[in-house]
């Protein structure tokens, strides 16, 4: 293992200074468990950026207050009914975990902390319920002190802003988007295009989660937060455009028609413009847009399928150019904001900030946490074990910590192993070193070697979990013990309780909560199909950006699961990006049909059939060329093409072509006369 780097050493020293400041103030104030302050100073700093420290500090303080208040309310009321108190605590932790998993932003930390803080305060407090209010107040003070000290130290001593990290991720996302677009426009190998598309989906999700800390950063980047949110929305909006352009080019190729020279030239011009990266001029978009519009054919009742494909291609290519130009302008605004140049704030579409949520899996996680807590409580009550409270607390903590994972058991098991390995070091400090110390200075020097190296190693991805388990194993032992009256028997009893609670969390999670990568991927795909069915029968004009944002998030979630899936033939057959494209077209059709009263009946009939298809859709469902839905799509196309030539009819044709290509890519070409005859027969 290589030596600690300068960045790791600086991070560790700042953590140490904030922990020692919190510990000193806790001793000076006379708080009963001062080591809670020290441990909190480490817990609140899992990343070296000031923005993440501040945001996590705020959420941790709020969650601690709510959890302590819940414990103060429940313990005195139910102290004479241990089973009811156990059930109430289990329901509280499970309910808070459920809300936390639905949130999926840093704000979710409030709910998670509110859950297991109630367990940390309430279960030890049953031994002295009359003093539960003072215990809760002391815990809030101790944790709040650690939070404040960590925030101040990391904000004052060589603060590391998150701006460079966010901008690096933003530029990487832009570069990956350009690579994918150029792959499509140049006709690069399909494998390369698919890889670039998956990379972009993951970039978008990571950028969204990372930028949530930007408003808390002390640098100028916090003033660019609105522009950052909007540019993310525009990058998300690029994905269905690029996928649609790729599909239309493939469809035109499959029809056996050579692309006109003018189309090849505009594809080359757009590719060169996008390939220029930061040097691309947004003003050139107007010229490109004009050239694209001149290539769009005029629709009439006898328009052929190739004409409709060409119209759809030009429409999506124009959207691609417009959206990319907006991205360039927003990136320039962000750069100006970093230099302190004031910009007119841009409108943000609040509904577009959508993330995938899985209420069923969140409920399953909450149920597993409640069961684990209740099992530990039942054993504690039946045996009157003095270490029972430690077991319940650890069960609550570990059921919450890793609940976002498909299979939390390996992580909980690893924490269990390294917590056990931390016992000798904890015993050395608690039973050997600390009784011999007689001043705060000696205590600070004695603690330094262990916490310095372990906290430095938490920045290394390969060592982070192991180092964190060892670090918090030692710090947790200090925080949970009464260091003034500790002996070997009580130490072993408490440590066994911690290990037992962690083991119960692993066992219960394995029984009730663990799901495979295959099942997780199928759940995400099923959520896509439910959204498509809902979108097809929406009574009001849908927000395509909100749907697109949520679908891109799901694509980012799907990629690592598909890599681990054992039944890839079932999963890969249904392309999440295809679902995204179809949803974007459904939303466009819903907006356009309201301006086409003549064709509205045929479109509505087709949309209801579409909703039924997605409502009962199964993975790997074969394409049915004789499906009534295909006839309804062609009938809707014919109705729109035979109607008045207005802007809405062009948008409807583009959307219908996209839906037809998405659901029936291998079907025979649309025949205008045949479609008209079928409509008249109906």
């Amino acid at each position: 293992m290589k030596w600690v780097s300068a960045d790791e050493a600086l991070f560790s020293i700042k953590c140490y200074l904030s922990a020692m400041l919190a510990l000193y103030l806790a001793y000076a104030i006379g708080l009963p468990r001062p080591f809670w302050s020290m441990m909190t100073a480490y817990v609140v700093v899992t990343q070296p950026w000031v923005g993440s420290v501040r945001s996590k500090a705020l959420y941790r303080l709020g969650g601690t207050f709510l959890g302590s208040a819940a414990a103060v309310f429940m313990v005195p009321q139910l102290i004479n009914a241990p089973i009811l108190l156990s059930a109430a605590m289990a329901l509280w932790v499970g309910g808070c975990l459920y809300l936390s998993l639905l949130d999926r932003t840093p704000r979710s930390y409030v709910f998670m902390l509110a859950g297991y803080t109630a367990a940390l305060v309430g279960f030890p407090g049953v031994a002295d319920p009359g003093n539960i209010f003072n215990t809760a107040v002391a815990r809030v003070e101790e944790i709040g002190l650690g939070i404040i000290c960590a925030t101040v130290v990391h904000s004052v001593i060589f603060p590391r802003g998150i701006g460079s990290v966010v901008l690096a991720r933003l530029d990487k996302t832009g570069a990956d988007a350009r690579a994918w677009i150029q792959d499509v426009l140049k006709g690069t190998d399909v494998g390369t295009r698919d890889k670039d598309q998956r990379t972009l989906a993951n970039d978008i999700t990571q950028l969204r989660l990372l930028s949530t800390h930007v408003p808390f950063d002390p640098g100028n980047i916090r003033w660019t937060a609105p522009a950052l949110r909007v540019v993310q929305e525009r990058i998300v909006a690029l994905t269905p455009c690029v996928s649609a352009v790729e599909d239309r080019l493939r469809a035109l190729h499959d029809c056996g028609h050579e692309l006109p020279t003018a189309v090849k030239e505009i594809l080359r011009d757009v590719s060169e413009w996008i390939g220029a990266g930061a040097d691309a001029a947004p003003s050139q978009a107007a010229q490109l847009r004009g050239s694209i519009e001149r290539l769009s054919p005029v629709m009439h009742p006898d328009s052929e399928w190739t004409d409709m494909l060409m119209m759809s291609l030009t429409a999506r290519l124009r959207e691609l150019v417009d959206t990319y130009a907006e991205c360039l302008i927003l990136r320039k605004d962000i750069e100006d904001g970093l230099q302190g140049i004031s910009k007119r704030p841009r409108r943000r579409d609040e509904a577009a900030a959508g993330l995938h949520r899985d209420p069923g899996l969140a409920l399953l996680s909450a149920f597993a946490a409640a069961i684990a807590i209740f099992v530990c409580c039942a054993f504690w009550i039946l045996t009157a074990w003095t270490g029972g409270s430690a077991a319940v607390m650890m069960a609550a903590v570990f059921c919450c910590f890793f609940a976002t994972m498909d299979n939390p058991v390996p992580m909980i098991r690893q924490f269990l192993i390294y917590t056990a390995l931390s016992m000798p070091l904890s015993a050395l400090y608690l039973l050997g070193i600390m009784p011999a110390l007689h001043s705060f200075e000696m205590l600070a020097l004695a603690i330094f070697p262990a916490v310095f190296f372990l906290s430095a190693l938490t920045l290394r991805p390969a060592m982070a979990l192991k180092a964190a388990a060892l670090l918090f194993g030692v710090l947790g032992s200090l925080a949970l013990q009464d260091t003034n009256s500790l002996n070997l028997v009580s130490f072993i009893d408490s440590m066994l309780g911690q290990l037992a609670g962690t083991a119960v969390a692993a066992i219960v999670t394995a029984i009730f909560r663990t799901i495979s990568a295959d099942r997780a991927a199928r759940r995400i795909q099923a959520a896509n199909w439910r959204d498509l069915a809902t979108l097809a029968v929406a009574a009001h004009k849908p927000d395509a950006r909100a749907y697109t944002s949520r679908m891109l998030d799901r694509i980012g979630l799907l990629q690592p699961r598909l890599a681990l899936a054992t039944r890839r033939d079932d999963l890969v057959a249904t392309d999440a990006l295809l679902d995204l494209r179809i949803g974007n077209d459904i939303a466009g059709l819903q907006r356009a049909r309201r301006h086409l009263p003549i064709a509205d009946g045929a479109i509505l009939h087709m949309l209801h059939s579409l909703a039924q298809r997605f409502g009962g859709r199964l993975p790997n469902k074969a394409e049915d060329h004789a499906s009534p839905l295909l006839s309804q799509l062609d009938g809707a196309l014919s109705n729109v093409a035979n109607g008045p030539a207005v802007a809405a009819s062009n948008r409807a044709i583009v959307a219908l072509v996209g839906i037809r290509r998405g659901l029936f890519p291998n079907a025979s070409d649309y025949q205008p006369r045949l479609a008209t005859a079928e409509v008249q027969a109906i």
Side-chain angles (χ1 to χ4, degrees):
M1 183 178 66
K2 66 179 182 180
W3 291 99
V4 174
S5 68
D7 285 343
E8 292 168 345
L10 178 61
F11 170 75
S12 185
I13 288 173
K14 289 197 293 184
C15 290
Y16 174 76
L17 291 176
S18 61
M20 290 304 102
L21 177 60
L23 184 61
Y24 176 80
L25 292 175
Y27 270 123
I29 296 171
L31 296 176
R33 294 289 178 89
F35 284 100
W36 273 102
S37 297
M38 175 183 171
M39 185 176 72
T40 301
Y42 278 97
V43 171
V44 79
V45 185
T46 55
Q47 295 172 322
W49 309 305
V50 178
S52 65
V53 172
R54 289 180 172 181
S55 65
K56 194 171 184 180
L58 178 65
Y59 297 136
R60 183 174 180 82
L61 189 59
T64 300
F65 177 81
L66 289 175
S68 299
V72 170
F73 176 77
M74 285 187 283
V75 171
Q77 302 288 335
L78 302 173
I79 189 60
N80 294 321
I83 298 296
L84 287 179
L85 177 58
S86 302
M89 280 287 192
L91 288 173
W92 171 264
V93 175
C96 290
L97 179 59
Y98 177 79
L99 295 176
S100 174
L101 293 175
L102 290 185
D103 191 279
R104 288 196 61 221
T105 70
R107 185 180 54 210
S108 66
Y109 203 51
V110 172
F111 304 112
M112 184 184 292
L113 260 293
Y116 69 72
T117 297
L120 294 176
V121 174
F123 287 118
V126 298
D128 186 13
N131 201 40
I132 186 67
F133 178 78
N134 293 331
T135 301
V137 170
R139 194 69 69 248
V140 172
E141 291 174 340
E142 291 155 1
I143 292 174
L145 193 58
I147 291 170
I148 293 170
C149 290
T151 304
V152 170
V153 169
H154 284 269
S155 299
V156 173
I157 301 177
F158 299 110
R160 183 177 175 184
I162 201 172
S164 60
V165 181
V166 173
L167 290 180
R169 174 61 66 175
L170 176 61
D171 290 338
K172 182 181 183 302
T173 304
D176 290 336
R178 288 195 299 274
W180 182 33
I181 295 170
Q182 288 188 291
D183 288 344
V184 169
L185 297 180
K186 293 178 180 179
T188 309
D189 175 71
V190 174
T192 303
R193 296 201 300 266
D194 290 344
K195 179 182 176 182
D196 288 339
Q197 169 254 306
R198 291 192 297 267
T199 301
L200 177 61
N202 183 66
D203 286 342
I204 290 170
T205 296
Q206 295 301 319
L207 178 61
R208 181 190 292 116
L209 297 177
L210 189 63
S211 62
T212 56
H213 301 297
V214 166
F216 298 90
D217 196 86
N220 282 344
I221 193 169
R222 69 183 184 275
W223 307 120
T224 70
L228 272 170
R229 287 191 289 265
V230 177
V231 76
Q232 289 175 63
E233 294 169 6
R234 297 302 177 259
I235 294 174
V236 165
L238 279 173
T239 53
C241 293
V242 179
S243 180
V245 168
E246 179 182 19
D247 178 77
R248 305 309 177 264
L249 289 172
R250 185 188 304 118
L252 287 167
H253 178 270
D254 293 344
C255 286
H257 294 275
E258 181 74 15
L259 284 178
T261 303
V263 175
K264 292 181 180 179
E265 290 177 353
I266 195 63
L267 291 176
R268 186 190 64 241
D269 292 344
V270 173
S271 178
E272 290 176 354
W273 175 62
I274 290 175
D279 296 329
S283 58
Q284 191 177 348
Q287 178 184 345
L288 292 171
R289 188 187 309 112
S291 300
I292 294 169
E293 288 175 350
R294 286 191 290 273
L295 296 175
S296 181
V298 177
M299 291 294 100
H300 51 79
D302 293 327
S303 292
E304 298 292 332
W305 179 234
T306 52
D307 294 328
M308 292 184 173
L309 287 173
M310 183 60 69
M311 181 183 182
S312 180
L313 171 63
T314 56
R316 296 310 182 202
L317 197 58
R318 187 169 60 248
E319 289 179 18
L320 172 60
V321 169
D322 289 342
T323 306
Y324 188 78
E326 287 189 71
C327 291
L328 291 174
I329 295 170
L330 287 163
R331 183 63 182 88
K332 181 63 167 58
D333 287 353
I334 292 171
E335 194 62 41
D336 290 343
L338 292 174
Q339 304 302 321
I341 301 174
S342 177
K343 288 284 182 179
R344 180 175 58 86
R346 294 176 177 272
R347 180 178 65 87
R348 179 197 174 200
D349 298 304
E350 296 287 346
L355 290 174
H356 168 68
R357 293 176 174 85
D358 190 336
L361 196 57
L363 188 61
L364 198 62
S365 298
F367 178 75
I371 291 295
I373 292 170
F374 200 78
V375 167
C376 290
C377 286
F379 184 79
W380 180 21
I381 293 169
L382 291 173
T383 62
W385 178 26
T386 54
S389 62
V392 181
M393 288 188 288
M394 292 303 103
V397 168
F398 285 103
C399 282
C400 293
F401 264 11
F402 303 109
T404 57
M405 307 179 70
D406 294 335
N407 184 7
V409 175
M411 292 296 185
I412 300 176
R413 187 188 301 123
Q414 194 167 35
F415 240 93
L416 174 63
I417 293 170
Y418 281 89
T419 299
L421 293 177
S422 74
M423 287 180 63
L425 186 57
S426 301
L428 176 63
Y429 272 106
L430 285 166
L431 302 175
I433 296 176
M434 291 185 62
L437 302 178
H438 302 291
S439 68
F440 178 81
E441 293 79 9
M442 294 174 65
L443 174 62
L445 289 174
I447 289 174
F448 177 78
V451 298
F452 173 77
F453 286 105
L454 291 176
S455 61
L457 293 178
T458 59
L459 289 185
R460 300 183 185 180
M463 296 291 296
L465 186 65
K466 300 172 183 177
L470 290 171
L471 177 63
F472 294 121
V474 174
L475 296 178
S477 297
L478 294 172
L480 293 172
Q481 307 291 337
D482 185 350
T483 56
N484 297 318
S485 60
L486 184 68
N487 55 53
L488 180 60
V489 174
S490 60
F491 171 77
I492 293 176
D493 195 48
S494 177
M495 290 304 300
L496 288 176
Q498 293 181 50
L499 296 177
T502 308
V504 169
I507 293 170
V508 172
T509 298
I511 295 173
F512 294 103
R513 166 59 180 79
T514 300
I515 63 172
S516 66
D518 305 72
R519 184 181 170 195
R522 285 195 293 272
R523 290 182 67 88
I524 295 172
Q525 287 285 41
N528 289 347
W529 300 331
R530 286 194 299 270
D531 270 8
L532 287 171
T534 302
L535 201 61
V537 293
H540 304 287
K541 185 171 71 172
D543 189 329
R545 288 184 294 273
Y547 169 82
T548 302
S549 180
R550 186 164 57 254
M551 190 69 77
L552 256 292
D553 180 49
R554 287 177 183 150
I555 292 174
L557 294 174
L558 270 173
Q559 301 313 319
R561 290 169 171 86
L562 291 177
L564 297 173
T566 58
R567 298 176 58 196
R568 291 180 59 83
D569 55 333
D570 286 348
L571 296 168
V572 178
T574 303
D575 184 7
L577 188 57
L578 177 61
D579 292 337
L580 164 63
R581 208 173 67 220
I582 293 173
N584 193 58
D585 286 322
I586 292 174
L589 184 61
Q590 286 277 29
R591 291 193 297 272
R593 72 171 179 82
R594 291 168 167 78
H595 304 284
L596 301 170
I598 296 176
D600 191 40
I603 294 174
L604 270 177
H605 184 52
M606 183 276 299
L607 286 174
H608 279 86
S609 297
L610 193 62
Q612 292 175 1
R613 176 187 177 94
F614 281 108
R617 192 170 176 182
L618 298 173
N620 206 24
K621 185 173 182 178
E623 182 180 338
D624 182 8
H625 293 173
S627 169
L629 180 57
L630 179 59
S631 298
Q632 292 168 12
L633 274 164
D634 288 347
L637 269 171
S638 178
N639 268 275
V640 175
N642 281 284
V646 294
S649 64
N650 291 341
R651 294 198 303 271
I653 289 174
V654 169
L656 287 165
V657 168
I659 296 171
R660 193 182 195 274
R661 281 290 304 165
L663 295 178
F664 306 101
N666 300 315
S668 301
D669 293 352
Y670 163 81
Q671 301 295 329
R673 293 181 179 83
L674 179 61
T676 302
E678 289 180 353
V679 171
Q680 291 173 349
I682 293 174

